[in-house]
Amino acid sequence: MLDDRYSLAFKLYPYERSADQDAAQAVRHPVIVVGGGPIGVATALDLGLQGIPVVVLDDHEGIGQGSRAICFAKRSLEIADRYGAAGPMLDKGVVWNLGKVFHEDRKVFEFNLLPESGHRFPAFINLQQPYFERFLVERLRELQADGAPIEIRGRNSVQSVEFHDDHVRLQIDTPEGPYTLEADWLIGCDGAGSPLRTMMGLDFDGRVFQDSFLIADITMKADFPTERWFWFEPSHKAGASTLLHKQPDGVWRVDFQIGWDVDRKVELKEENVRKRLDAMLGPDVEYELVWTSIYTFQCRRMKKFRHGRVLFAGDSAHQVSPFGARGANSGMQDVDNLGWKLGMVIRGEAPDALLDSYCAERRHGADENILNSTRATDFITPKSKISHIFRNAVLDLAERFEFARPLVNSGRLSVPCVYDGLPLNGPDALTGGPARTRVGSPCPDAPLGDGFLLPRLGKGFTLLTIDVEAAETIEADGVIATRVALRASDDTTGALAERYLGTAASAVYLIRPDQHVAARWESFDAAAVQDALRIACGKG
Amino acid sequence: MTLQTKPNIADADGFYADLIAAHDGLSEDESAAFNARLILILANQIGDRAVLDAALEAAQARR
């Protein structure tokens, strides 16, 4: 039961015998995470930074090969920055702004992401998933060295799970035989094929897309610009659509849409992959193949992300098409959402019901991501003749008329969702306040002199005040919000005022540990903040 | 009034999805008839002959 499902890019957590394996009785841990991928390791970082002991179990000994997720959004970097892991990602990642769209080889139009200034992180970086994971594991090792109570155990494969009211019991296989562990809380981060979800017999329903995509990562001598190029119906016929995207190390991702009825083995033969690449690149371009893979996908999610003491995060809970980079990015938002809530429940600061809001909020996010990625997929791979006719009419018109360009959909790139109308939200009482910072929104970054706003938020609850007096701390039932006092003039570019004041003269924001807005007002009222704080902790 | 060629539809993705969904289950002839009815309804909404003439021109196939 310890078969390799994939080969490793980095062997970062080789099997080591744990004292738990020699214990007379099953050892109980506060939190066990199943799956050492990006979402599992990020979960461990979030909890470990709160001082909560966490054990990550992975059935392999490191990070799987293959670039896989390559597009990491600003919000993921901001979350990783909260964990102290974003620096190396930013250093290694490729930043791109220009995208070009082609139809039958003609350029239809190009777009610039036109990044808004005054953010620490770019809208996106392209980075092979193994690097993203490695930087998270390296950060985990740093925290361990500083004494954080995090463990990661390679070659620990969960074989069965037994459920009790106040804990779960796991049978685990290792190269040295089985052992048993118990956990107060179990987090399933074991991917789209989640063995844990299967063991629990839980649903995972959605829509299958009848198309396959062939990925070829290549290195080229040719000098292509750092841009995202997307072809609809290219004349080279190597794919019904084709995407070219730059990654670090001089690697290009080429993604060919190759139809549903394909023989994977035949298509993945090097000579056949090369035929497609030659057709696309022309005969004179030299390149080397780094990695190839064929994928199909579904858009689906679990009905509930929480099942008693078990919580699911990332692909194990929801799966989307890759168009729009909403897979790993939404998983990072799951972690961001779950970490502080689980921490508060474990510390006894919030009721168990707070964890139900994890399901409500992230299901809302998953639905938004599934909607967006489904629309992109339907545009890229039209399912009926009339839908194909409309698609091509849009591309035709987009070349000449600006109005049609917003209809061209080769993936709406991942932005974090706003938890509009959900139960943890307090009053949105800032008249004239900007829509983008309404209650439920993730806080947008803003420059503050030599630094930025977001690093000052996210350590517990924050009371952000702009041009208004307030108490330095506010407490409600043992939960404390700490003030960050700013003046609009702290940011001479005006971005802070534009993003947080709008036309209001002053503002008070209650901000959750995941940097989402819990409530906002024009002036400070201690009782109102206390009420909002209770609501945000699931005591409303 | 002149022909609007700048983006003018709020939630363009949502509109497009609804437009395509409106054809679900229709035969090709039924789809063509649906489109004809839709165009006539929208044309009446526009009303302005100069704008309609410009739209007829804009919709000509690219050469």
Side-chain angles (χ1 to χ4, degrees), chain A residues 61-76:
Chain A
E61 295 186 299
I63 292 162
Q65 224 156 25
S67 54
R68 296 168 288 148
I70 60 162
C71 217
F72 291 92
K74 182 199 302 268
R75 186 64 198 146
S76 293

Side-chain angles (χ1 to χ4, degrees), chain A residues 103-104 106 372 375 378-379 384-387 389-392 394 396-397 399-409 412, chain B residues 3-9 11-20 23-24 28 31-32 35 38 57-62:
Chain A
H103 184 212
E104 295 170 343
R106 290 189 328 279
N372 276 291
R375 286 174 177 172
D378 285 341
F379 194 86
S384 65
K385 186 170 176 192
I386 191 70
S387 142
I389 288 170
F390 267 109
R391 198 280 303 273
N392 284 2
V394 166
D396 188 326
L397 291 167
E399 199 176 336
R400 289 174 292 154
F401 302 111
E402 203 182 320
F403 87 87
R405 291 173 197 165
L407 295 168
V408 175
N409 192 345
R412 298 281 177 245
Chain B
L3 184 68
Q4 172 65 272
T5 60
K6 304 278 184 216
N8 193 36
I9 304 172
D11 183 26
D13 283 348
F15 164 70
Y16 189 80
D18 288 347
L19 175 64
I20 300 302
H23 290 267
D24 282 351
E28 284 180 28
S31 271
N35 283 337
L38 182 64
E57 175 66 27
Q60 292 291 322
R62 185 172 32 79

Side-chain angles (χ1 to χ4, degrees), chain A residues 141-416:
Chain A
R141 297 298 185 206
E142 272 177 26
L143 291 176
Q144 282 177 322
D146 293 344
I150 311 175
E151 264 191 76
I152 183 162
R153 297 184 188 172
R155 273 278 185 257
N156 272 239
S157 174
V158 176
Q159 299 298 310
S160 66
V161 193
E162 202 181 289
F163 304 94
H164 301 270
D165 284 347
D166 64 345
H167 73 282
V168 296
R169 198 173 158 89
L170 306 172
Q171 299 299 329
I172 297 156
D173 215 355
T174 76
E176 297 181 304
Y179 73 111
T180 306
L181 282 181
E182 291 181 350
D184 294 337
W185 299 96
L186 185 67
I187 321 292
C189 305
D190 50 349
S194 175
L196 180 64
R197 191 186 60 227
T198 308
M199 272 181 245
M200 293 175 68
L202 296 170
D203 62 274
F204 198 44
D205 297 327
R207 184 174 155 195
V208 183
F209 287 85
Q210 299 208 331
D211 224 316
S212 322
F213 292 79
L214 184 143
I215 293 178
D217 277 359
I218 59 173
T219 52
M220 280 191 286
K221 297 221 171 68
D223 202 20
F224 264 72
T226 302
E227 297 168 359
R228 178 188 195 265
W229 289 19
F230 195 98
W231 288 264
F232 292 96
E233 303 179 326
S235 68
H236 59 62
K237 305 279 185 202
S241 67
T242 302
L243 172 71
L244 179 71
H245 224 175
K246 178 82 182 282
Q247 304 173 57
D249 302 336
V251 176
W252 292 88
R253 157 75 61 89
V254 188
D255 200 335
F256 296 111
Q257 180 194 343
I258 62 171
W260 180 240
D261 280 322
V262 295
D263 184 330
R264 302 170 78 98
K265 271 197 184 130
V266 171
E267 292 297 343
L268 282 171
K269 277 188 185 161
E270 177 164 346
E271 69 219 52
N272 291 330
V273 175
R274 282 189 174 272
K275 259 183 218 160
R276 291 184 188 276
L277 287 164
D278 291 346
M280 173 192 165
L281 297 168
D284 303 327
V285 177
E286 281 181 54
Y287 59 86
E288 280 177 38
L289 289 171
V290 178
W291 180 65
T292 56
S293 171
I294 288 180
Y295 66 90
T296 56
F297 53 80
Q298 307 192 14
C299 285
R300 51 186 180 170
R301 70 158 168 81
M302 299 178 74
K303 282 198 189 71
K304 292 193 304 177
F305 298 175
R306 178 186 181 190
H307 293 264
R309 293 261 158 178
V310 186
L311 297 125
F312 289 86
D315 283 356
S316 69
H318 44 75
Q319 197 184 0
V320 294
S321 88
F323 305 111
R326 289 165 184 272
N329 286 313
S330 67
M332 288 298 286
Q333 291 163 46
D334 290 349
V335 178
D336 195 32
N337 191 289
L338 178 59
W340 66 272
K341 293 175 179 174
L342 187 57
M344 289 188 84
V345 170
I346 288 173
R347 286 190 299 271
E349 294 167 356
D352 176 272
L354 180 60
L355 292 171
D356 293 333
S357 77
Y358 162 71
C359 180
E361 292 186 335
R362 292 314 303 160
R363 211 161 52 176
H364 176 76
D367 286 345
E368 187 174 297
N369 287 321
I370 287 173
L371 179 72
N372 276 291
S373 85
T374 299
R375 286 174 177 172
T377 308
D378 285 341
F379 194 86
I380 294 165
T381 66
K383 295 297 174 294
S384 65
K385 186 170 176 192
I386 191 70
S387 142
H388 192 197
I389 288 170
F390 267 109
R391 198 280 303 273
N392 284 2
V394 166
L395 291 170
D396 188 326
L397 291 167
E399 199 176 336
R400 289 174 292 154
F401 302 111
E402 203 182 320
F403 87 87
R405 291 173 197 165
L407 295 168
V408 175
N409 192 345
S410 65
R412 298 281 177 245
L413 294 170
S414 172
V415 289

